Amino acid sequence: MLTEMTRSSVSTAVPRRQDPPARSRAGHEALVLRLLREHGPLTRGQLGTLCGLSRTTLYDVVAALMDNGTVVASVPEAARRKRGRPAELLALNSAAGHVLGIEFARRAVRVAAMDAGHEIVGTAGEPQASDTPWQDRVDTAWRLADALTGGTLRSGALNGIGVGVCGPAGSPDRCAGRTPPHATVAALVRERFGVPALIDKSTRLAALAETVWGAAAGEQDVLYLRLSHGVGGGLVVAGALHRGAHGASGEFGHVSVDPDGVRCACGGTGCLETVASVGAVLDAYRTAGGAAADVHELVAALDSGDRTAHAVLAQAGAHAGRALADVCHAVGPDVIVVGGELVEAGPALMEPIERTLNSTVLRGSCGPLRVRPAGLGDYGAALGAIALLHQHMNDVVPGLRGAARAPRGPLSLLLG
C-alpha cells in the first residue's frame, strides 16, 4: 500500500542511519510525492535540492516508495547514449494503484478516487432507486470507479476502499429499505473489488471530509449536522473522527426539540428529524398551503419571495439551532458545519440556525461559534471515506492534509 513504509537495501556507497520515526517518515513521503507531482520526473539530485532532506533520508524514503510501487525509476534514451552512469529519473507510478471512497446513499451511489500521488482525480455518481438490490449497488460502484481510474481496477491496481453507509456500525442500515449490516456490505464490496473495505457512517465521513478539504479545513474540533432525507451528523475531536463507545455517535436527528411533536421512527417524540428533514420541511410547506415536489422547487419559492416558504425554513432552522446548542454544551466545537440538501435554501435556513444557536447556548460555555455551510456538496461522504482510509493507514492526519491540499485542478470542478 502506498502508505506502508518498509526498509530496503540500497547501494553500500550510501551511508545509512537509523530510520526516522514513523510520523517523520510519513511526512517525508508526502513531501517527496508532492514534489514529483508538481515538477514531474526528477533525478535524485534535483529532488534532494527541492526537498531539503539529507541524502540518507531521501534515499531511504525513495527506496521505500519504489519498493511499494508508488515511485518508478527510468533512464531517458538520451542519457543512455552518454558516457558514465546515467542519471535515473524518478516519477509517480500512474499504475501504482488508487484509493477509493464510496458512498451508498439513500438514492444514489457516489465514488471518489485518489491516485498514488495523493491527488483527488475525480468523483462520479449515479442516482438509484431506494430499493435497488445491494449487489447492483456494488456493481454500480465498480463501474463508476473503473471509469474514474481509467480501467486500472481490472489489473488489480487498488490500494484500499473506504465506504460510507447510513446508520451506526453493526446495526441495520435505515438508509434504503432492507439494508444489511455493515459487515455484509463490507463482504459484498470485498468480493467485487478484491480488497478489504473500511466502513463508517456517511454523515461522520462527511464531517471528516469537511475538516480536510471543506468548510472547516484545518480545524481540529468540528461539529457537523446534515439536514437531508434523514438528519444526522458527526464530530471531529482533536482532528480525529469520534465514533463513541459503540459506534453510534452523531445521531443528532434524534435529539428531541419538540416534546409535544410527532412520533419519530426511532420511537422518540419530537426528534429533530421529524421537523428538519427534507420530507418534514416539504410536508410542513404543503400543509401551510405551498406546493413543492422537492427542495429545488422549495428554493424557487424562496427566490420568488414566498413568505410561507421563508416561515417554514425559519422554523426548521430554529429547531436545528436548538439541537446544535444542546450538543455544543456537551462538546464545545470550534466550528459548526451544516450540510445536506436543505442547505440549498441558503440564508433562509442558515440565519435562523445561527440566530437560535447563539441565543440558546449558555454564554461562556462555548467560544464564539462559527456556523458555515458545507463545502463539498453531495460528495462529502465519499471524500471522507478516502480521508478515513488514509487516517487508518497512516495514523498521521497532518500528512494527509498536507498532501490533499493540492488536488489536480480545483476541487470544486471535480465535484461538479
Side-chain angles (χ1 to χ4, degrees):
M1 289 189 177
L2 68 97
T3 54
E4 292 176 349
M5 303 299 296
T6 58
R7 291 290 298 269
S8 66
S9 60
V10 295
S11 170
T12 55
V14 179
R16 300 181 65 86
R17 66 182 184 186
Q18 186 176 2
D19 273 348
R23 185 175 296 271
S24 297
R25 290 203 309 271
H28 294 158
E29 178 194 51
L31 173 61
V32 169
L33 292 174
R34 177 174 62 80
L35 290 172
L36 291 176
R37 182 172 64 245
E38 293 175 352
H39 295 274
L42 297 169
T43 65
R44 284 177 175 81
Q46 292 169 330
L47 191 55
T49 299
L50 290 169
C51 72
L53 298 175
S54 71
R55 188 168 181 263
T56 301
T57 299
L58 175 62
Y59 272 57
D60 281 350
V61 170
V62 168
L65 290 172
M66 292 178 66
D67 272 358
N68 63 35
T70 307
V71 170
V72 293
S74 63
V75 178
E77 186 60 33
R80 294 176 189 275
R81 294 195 293 266
K82 295 181 180 179
R83 293 183 178 181
R85 183 178 179 180
E88 289 183 326
L89 284 178
L90 303 173
L92 294 177
N93 182 4
S94 61
H98 290 79
V99 172
L100 299 178
I102 302 171
E103 182 194 12
F104 294 111
R106 277 183 170 80
R107 297 172 175 84
V109 174
R110 303 185 182 103
V111 178
M114 176 181 278
D115 67 13
H118 292 188
E119 290 186 68
I120 300 296
V121 298
T123 59
E126 186 171 298
Q128 291 196 325
S130 61
D131 59 352
T132 300
W134 268 86
Q135 188 60 63
D136 291 348
R137 289 170 175 259
V138 174
D139 288 344
T140 297
W142 165 273
R143 176 166 44 80
L144 293 172
D146 198 46
L148 278 178
T149 58
T152 59
L153 294 190
R154 296 182 181 87
S155 63
L158 183 60
N159 285 337
I161 301 177
V163 176
V165 293
C166 301
S171 72
D173 185 343
R174 298 188 301 273
C175 71
R178 296 184 301 273
T179 306
H182 291 189
T184 305
V185 177
L188 289 171
V189 172
R190 179 169 187 166
E191 180 180 1
R192 186 67 178 90
F193 286 83
V195 296
L198 189 64
I199 295 190
D200 211 310
K201 191 167 66 170
S202 292
T203 53
R204 283 204 295 250
L205 295 178
L208 182 61
E210 292 292 340
T211 70
V212 178
W213 293 284
E219 301 288 351
Q220 291 292 295
D221 296 283
V222 177
L223 167 57
Y224 174 83
L225 176 68
R226 189 177 197 177
L227 302 176
S228 183
H229 295 281
V231 174
L235 286 170
V236 175
V237 179
L241 200 60
H242 176 73
R243 297 180 181 82
H246 305 288
S249 70
E251 292 290 339
F252 306 142
H254 301 291
V255 174
S256 179
V257 293
D258 183 5
D260 298 321
V262 301
R263 192 78 167 170
C264 179
C266 73
T269 300
C271 295
L272 182 60
E273 189 163 289
T274 67
V275 293
S277 64
V278 167
V281 170
L282 290 175
D283 286 345
Y285 180 57
R286 294 170 190 140
T287 300
D294 53 29
V295 173
H296 295 300
E297 291 187 10
L298 181 62
V299 172
L302 285 172
D303 293 340
S304 70
D306 187 328
R307 293 185 178 181
T308 300
H310 279 274
V312 167
L313 282 161
Q315 184 178 45
H319 284 307
R322 280 190 286 274
L324 286 170
D326 287 344
V327 180
C328 286
H329 285 142
V331 301
D334 288 328
V335 176
I336 296 171
V337 177
V338 182
E341 289 91 332
L342 279 184
V343 175
E344 293 178 31
L349 176 74
M350 297 298 293
E351 289 178 0
I353 289 177
E354 190 163 11
R355 184 168 56 247
T356 304
L357 174 64
N358 286 324
S359 65
T360 307
V361 166
L362 181 65
R363 295 190 182 278
S365 65
C366 302
L369 291 172
R370 295 169 286 169
V371 183
R372 303 170 183 170
L376 300 177
D378 291 340
Y379 289 94
L383 290 164
I386 289 177
L388 178 70
L389 186 63
H390 272 271
Q391 194 177 75
H392 179 75
M393 293 161 71
N394 286 349
D395 196 28
V396 183
V397 178
L400 167 62
R401 286 177 180 153
R405 277 197 290 267
R408 181 176 300 156
L411 191 60
S412 59
L413 296 181
L414 295 175
L415 302 177

